Amino acid sequence: MISLLIDPEIDFTRLPRHVAIIMDGNGRWAKKRLLNRVQGHGKGADTVRTIVRTCHEIKLPILTLYAFSTENWCRPKKEVDALMMLFSTFLKSEQGKLKNNNIRLNALGQIDRLPQKVQKALHDTMDATKENNGMLLNIAVSYGGRSEIVRAVKNIALKVKKGLIDPESSPESITEQLITEHLYTSGMDDPDLLIRTSGEKRISNFLLWQIAYSEIFVTDTLWPDFNKDELLSILKNYQNRERRFGKL
Ligand code: IPE
Ligand code: IPE
Ligand code: MG
């Protein structure tokens, strides 16, 4: 912690407020070592612990981790089952640490599609950490950006029907702000920085609305090999970028 604070190259007063990470490459990491994919996911979970700890140490306000997409449900049942098992064990083992480190856990996605055991572990951990006001840790699980937008639009339509948005139901009341407020990330700043590991230069249905002006960083490092030093060097790179938001 001390060494981080005195690192002259990072300005800890100008950190991004929200970092989102597409944690990709567990399968390739395993393949390279002639291990099975599930062993890669297990090692990936260790990286999650390291990165959450680092983000907590540097006092990052929001960290969002993409753990499982709506499309990932189409993977072989054996892999999906193993991932679900891993999520619940991970949450149970981390709950105490999250609570004690003032980290609040939040889930983004179609939680009701998850097995009961995982839903319970998620709800237990969210409940145990709900009073925490340090870092907000979002886990995107069974998450898809398009389905998130569809859900928001449906909820808005329902409210319009009930006259809750605008008694006149004027289309003018549908604003960017209104849609933003109906996403899973309601009330949160958009990600300033989006990191994807394992070299793939695509978004894979992650936070489609929220990343409109995020800075993107793709590293070839596979998620199980990603570490604190690389995260810090990406933060340095971020601080040297000029964000223009379309202006001059
Ligand atoms: C990311 O690693 C984890 C999940 C999507 C659940 P992958 O499992 O996608 O690993 P690769 O891309 O096959 O290497
Ligand atoms: C994106 O990785 C989803 C997560 C990291 C959870 P994928 O491995 O599913 O993405 P594609 O299939 O390479 O686009
Ligand atoms: Mg992948």
Side-chain angles (χ1 to χ4, degrees):
M1 183 60 191
I2 302 294
S3 64
L4 273 180
L5 287 173
I6 57 173
D7 184 327
E9 290 173 70
I10 295 195
D11 179 354
F12 286 97
T13 65
R14 283 199 313 116
L15 286 178
R17 288 195 45 80
H18 183 172
V19 174
I21 309 182
I22 303 175
M23 309 185 290
D24 196 16
N26 294 348
R28 277 162 283 173
W29 182 92
K31 193 170 181 197
K32 264 175 47 182
R33 287 163 181 76
L34 306 177
L35 300 171
N36 63 52
R37 297 181 55 84
V38 174
Q39 290 170 293
H41 295 313
K43 189 71 173 48
D46 293 339
T47 307
V48 173
R49 289 186 187 90
T50 308
I51 295 309
V52 169
R53 194 184 324 118
T54 303
C55 291
H56 164 69
E57 283 172 0
I58 63 172
K59 299 193 163 52
L60 185 82
I62 309 177
L63 174 66
T64 300
L65 299 176
Y66 199 10
F68 191 85
S69 71
T70 45
E71 290 72 27
N72 289 151
W73 285 116
C74 301
R75 290 193 181 188
K77 185 174 178 325
K78 239 175 99 177
E79 180 168 345
V80 172
D81 287 350
L83 278 165
M84 294 302 146
M85 179 89 93
L86 191 61
F87 292 145
S88 59
T89 344
F90 178 85
L91 288 163
K92 281 183 215 155
S93 73
E94 297 308 295
Q95 182 173 315
K97 246 186 284 169
L98 295 173
K99 189 174 160 97
N100 295 335
N101 287 317
N102 198 21
I103 299 170
R104 180 158 66 92
L105 184 91
N106 180 49
L108 317 177
Q110 302 172 343
I111 303 309
D112 54 358
R113 288 180 75 181
L114 297 167
Q116 281 304 324
K117 252 176 86 168
V118 181
Q119 290 193 40
K120 183 174 180 322
L122 266 177
H123 284 124
D124 284 352
T125 313
M126 287 193 281
D127 203 48
T129 61
K130 66 171 188 275
E131 306 292 344
N132 286 353
N133 59 7
M135 184 170 84
L136 172 63
L137 173 62
N138 289 316
I139 301 287
V141 57
S142 187
Y143 173 89
R146 288 187 171 177
S147 95
E148 178 184 35
I149 294 170
V150 170
R151 173 182 171 273
V153 171
K154 277 187 185 160
N155 285 335
I156 292 170
L158 271 173
K159 288 188 189 172
V160 167
K161 219 170 147 183
K162 292 183 187 159
L164 295 171
I165 302 275
D166 164 19
E168 260 130 62
S169 296
S170 157
E172 293 309 313
S173 56
I174 310 291
T175 60
E176 289 190 10
Q177 172 73 15
L178 189 76
I179 292 179
T180 300
E181 282 166 9
H182 285 80
L183 299 174
Y184 294 121
T185 48
S186 172
M188 302 173 201
D189 291 324
D190 286 339
D192 300 294
L193 174 62
L194 171 69
I195 300 171
R196 181 166 188 151
T197 58
S198 92
E200 245 53 84
K201 294 174 188 68
R202 54 178 172 258
I203 299 299
S204 303
N205 204 9
F206 191 38
L207 301 175
L208 298 179
W209 177 277
Q210 298 90 333
I211 59 169
Y213 267 102
S214 303
E215 292 296 324
I216 298 176
F217 195 103
V218 176
T219 168
D220 286 333
T221 305
L222 304 173
W223 178 251
D225 291 327
F226 192 71
N227 60 24
K228 170 176 171 174
D229 287 345
E230 186 163 11
L231 176 64
L232 294 179
S233 85
I234 294 172
L235 293 174
K236 278 182 213 171
N237 174 291
Y238 166 84
Q239 291 188 331
N240 289 324
R241 294 189 188 188
E242 187 197 349
R243 300 184 72 189
R244 287 197 287 271
F245 299 97
K247 299 170 192 158
L248 292 182

